[in-house]
Amino acid sequence: MVDPVLASRLQFALTTIVHIIFPVMSMGLAPFLIYFTWKEIRTEQPVYEQLRRFWTRIFAVSFVVGTVTGLVLEFEFGTNFAAFSTTAGELFGGPLALEGMMAFMLEATFLGIFVFGRDRVSDRLYFLSSIAVGLGTWLSAVWILIANSWMQTPRGFEIVVENGQRVVKLTDPLAAYLNPRFPYMFVHMQNAAVESVALFMAGVAAYYVFRHHVWGYPIEHINVWEKTLKIALVVLLITAPLQVIQGDEYARHVSETQPQKFAAMEAVWETDSYVPEYIVAFPTDVNDLLNPRTKELFGIGIPGGASWLASGGNPQATIRGLESFSTKAPPVAIVFWAFRIMVALGFWFILLAVWGAYRWWRGELFEDDLLHKALMASSLLGFLAVEVGWIVTEVGRQPWVIQGVMKTSAGVSSDLTGAEATFTLIGFATGYALLLSLYTYVVSRIIREGPPSYNELRLSDRAPPSKTEVTSSD
């Protein structure tokens, strides 16, 4: 049987990797839905009602599945990480409870109005419901990221002994909740969600635009997909550069507050200055290819690049090596490659945004088949970037579950056996594979069905269909 510590970590990683897809989709869609609703009410153009109704269906499905998978994560704190929950309960319990009572209830209550109440409430109340749903979605992220960021940079607490158990006692809740990591993490995560959804929308729209304008197939509601592609590119043009710029500041913050994690990100074993930023690095001995902590590496990189990143502009800056820390290094290869995949994707997204903007400016946005193919191929890469980013965040701080306070091995439930942990790991792997497959099927079916037809719209009697739509229908 698998060691209960390893099995618990794998199970939590698995459930988190699957779960994060759904809140990213809902958080990223929220600003778009608010915009579509506002434009629908303000302009009374049918295309915005079509956009709002189509993307609301995907939002609703993501919200439901995200709720289910999120509850499982909270239960795992008790089943697999009871020792951690006992120690950090005073800090961890508050944000998780507020996430449910404040954010989830706000989102769930107004989601009913937003999904089913368009013809039952006024325009003003309906627009308010879209804002409330979006606010609830983002407030959920606030409380979850407060909890996680505190684990990265714990502040505002002391360790006391109660009934023979070391526990966290809050001494300054404001310092704990607004710890140094929180603003970096919140901005990076929320911008990543919007960017990921913009890529997804652009990829879906590019598929239909490609079929219509390049292959010449008649596509119903092509004006909806053209509008989607333009809106997605505008958002991508804003979020993609912002993510890289803010990510640079985030990495510098990590080097200051979690130097061991930063050393793992750059595969720095010996304390040194003028450290290169390796683009790729491989073990010099083929026998070490599967060893994530191998030290002898051959790399190709930018001289002084890692030192420049850590210091904010000084290529001669010193980076503390992994061997200088008293604790065991995290699996360096996993952190190293996850970080590089994330960075490479970030620059690729900027290239896509600039490419699309240039073609739009030239009047060739709907005819550039290579751009369409690139957007289609990249439609899910934003979610991949989020996944590898969280791998850097969570794997990089090992062996700590609370940085400098509690190790992960000490946080696992003491009475959990290897057989129990292995059984639940297999069960969750099977169940989540089926759940993700079902979600993929449902979303794919929604995309294939497309937006509602013109005759189904409540605005159908307020404005004539566009020339493009009439041509497509013919």
Side-chain angles (χ1 to χ4, degrees):
M1 294 298 174
V2 181
D3 175 71
V5 174
L6 177 59
S8 295
R9 290 177 60 186
L10 290 174
Q11 179 178 305
F12 201 87
L14 168 70
T15 50
T16 303
I17 284 171
V18 176
H19 167 73
I20 196 65
I21 296 170
F22 314 119
V24 167
M25 182 68 83
S26 58
M27 291 187 302
L29 276 174
F32 289 99
L33 293 179
I34 294 172
Y35 174 74
F36 295 152
T37 304
W38 175 68
K39 291 291 286 185
E40 175 191 345
I41 293 172
R42 182 183 175 93
T43 68
E44 296 189 343
Q45 292 183 23
V47 65
Y48 290 108
E49 182 183 349
Q50 289 175 297
L51 284 168
R52 190 258 306 166
R53 290 176 59 175
F54 173 79
W55 291 106
T56 295
R57 294 177 67 191
I58 295 179
F59 178 93
V61 172
S62 302
F63 170 78
V64 171
V65 182
T67 300
V68 173
T69 54
L71 288 173
V72 170
L73 285 174
E74 295 192 11
F75 278 114
E76 284 181 310
F77 286 119
T79 58
N80 293 74
F81 293 92
F84 163 77
S85 300
T86 300
T87 299
E90 182 167 322
L91 182 287
F92 226 68
L96 293 184
L98 285 169
E99 190 265 341
M101 293 187 295
M102 180 191 295
F104 177 77
M105 293 306 296
L106 177 67
E107 183 181 5
T109 300
F110 281 92
L111 183 61
I113 298 175
F114 187 66
V115 173
F116 302 110
R118 185 66 185 96
D119 296 319
R120 296 175 172 84
V121 298
S122 66
D123 286 351
R124 181 174 297 179
L125 180 56
Y126 190 75
F127 180 59
L128 177 63
S129 72
S130 71
I131 295 175
V133 168
L135 180 61
T137 303
W138 280 47
L139 275 176
S140 290
V142 168
W143 295 112
I144 296 301
L145 293 178
I146 281 175
N148 187 276
S149 62
W150 181 85
M151 295 164 65
Q152 311 284 336
T153 54
R155 298 290 190 278
F157 75 102
E158 63 180 4
I159 297 293
V160 300
V161 178
E162 294 182 357
N163 300 321
Q165 173 74 43
R166 297 175 73 250
V167 297
V168 168
K169 183 74 173 178
L170 279 178
T171 58
D172 187 345
L174 193 62
Y177 289 177
L178 301 180
N179 61 80
R181 178 60 51 83
F182 172 71
Y184 292 94
M185 187 174 280
F186 181 76
V187 173
H188 205 65
M189 182 64 209
Q190 300 312 100
N191 190 72
V194 177
E195 182 183 19
S196 299
V197 169
L199 279 163
F200 181 69
M201 295 175 70
V204 172
Y207 170 73
Y208 286 105
V209 169
F210 175 79
R211 294 188 66 193
H212 183 80
H213 288 281
V214 178
W215 282 359
Y217 290 170
I219 300 296
E220 192 176 7
H221 316 303
I222 188 60
N223 63 318
V224 174
W225 300 118
E226 291 171 348
K227 179 74 73 173
T228 300
L229 181 57
K230 289 181 177 180
I231 292 173
L233 281 176
V234 169
V235 174
L236 190 60
L237 198 59
I238 297 170
T239 55
L242 176 60
Q243 192 72 353
V244 171
I245 294 170
Q246 196 269 340
D248 174 69
E249 297 178 354
Y250 191 174
R252 194 169 307 121
H253 170 72
V254 170
S255 73
E256 295 170 355
T257 56
Q258 292 179 298
Q260 188 175 24
K261 178 189 290 187
F262 188 83
M265 290 161 53
E266 301 297 343
V268 179
W269 286 95
E270 301 286 345
T271 300
D272 202 358
S273 58
Y274 198 62
V275 178
E277 177 67 36
Y278 287 117
I279 299 172
V280 294
F282 303 97
T284 56
D285 188 342
V286 293
N287 296 321
D288 290 330
L289 284 175
L290 299 180
N291 179 10
R293 294 183 175 85
T294 183
K295 300 178 183 179
E296 301 298 327
L297 300 172
F298 169 78
I300 301 173
I302 304 169
S307 294
W308 183 89
L309 178 63
S311 63
N314 179 14
Q316 299 293 336
T318 299
I319 296 180
R320 186 178 173 185
L322 290 165
E323 290 198 333
S324 67
F325 296 92
S326 58
T327 55
K328 185 179 180 180
V332 176
I334 296 174
V335 182
F336 177 88
W337 284 110
F339 180 65
R340 270 140 193 81
I341 292 171
M342 179 183 65
V343 171
L345 289 174
F347 282 103
W348 169 243
F349 299 155
I350 293 177
L351 176 61
L352 278 178
V354 174
W355 183 3
Y358 174 73
R359 287 303 189 187
W360 189 356
W361 176 69
R362 291 288 301 271
E364 302 168 344
L365 178 61
F366 302 141
E367 287 74 33
D368 189 342
D369 60 327
L370 187 59
L371 172 63
H372 301 161
K373 292 175 182 177
L375 289 171
M376 286 186 277
S378 303
S379 59
L380 298 179
L381 292 184
F383 294 91
L384 175 61
V386 171
E387 299 283 13
V388 293
W390 274 105
I391 288 173
V392 174
T393 299
E394 297 305 305
V395 178
R397 68 180 157 97
Q398 297 304 316
W400 302 103
V401 64
I402 305 174
Q403 184 70 43
V405 176
M406 186 180 200
K407 291 186 176 180
T408 305
S409 56
V412 174
S413 304
S414 59
D415 57 350
L416 183 66
T417 66
E420 292 170 336
T422 303
F423 176 76
T424 57
L425 172 61
I426 295 172
F428 274 109
T430 304
Y432 271 56
L434 294 174
L435 183 64
L436 187 58
S437 299
L438 180 61
Y439 174 79
T440 303
Y441 168 76
V442 172
V443 172
S444 300
R445 183 169 178 173
I446 292 173
I447 293 172
R448 287 196 301 270
E449 291 177 357
S453 66
Y454 181 74
N455 293 329
E456 296 177 68
L457 303 181
R458 63 188 304 274
L459 294 176
S460 60
D461 59 344
R462 302 191 189 185
S466 67
K467 292 180 181 180
T468 309
E469 186 166 2
V470 171
T471 303
S472 302
S473 299
D474 292 341

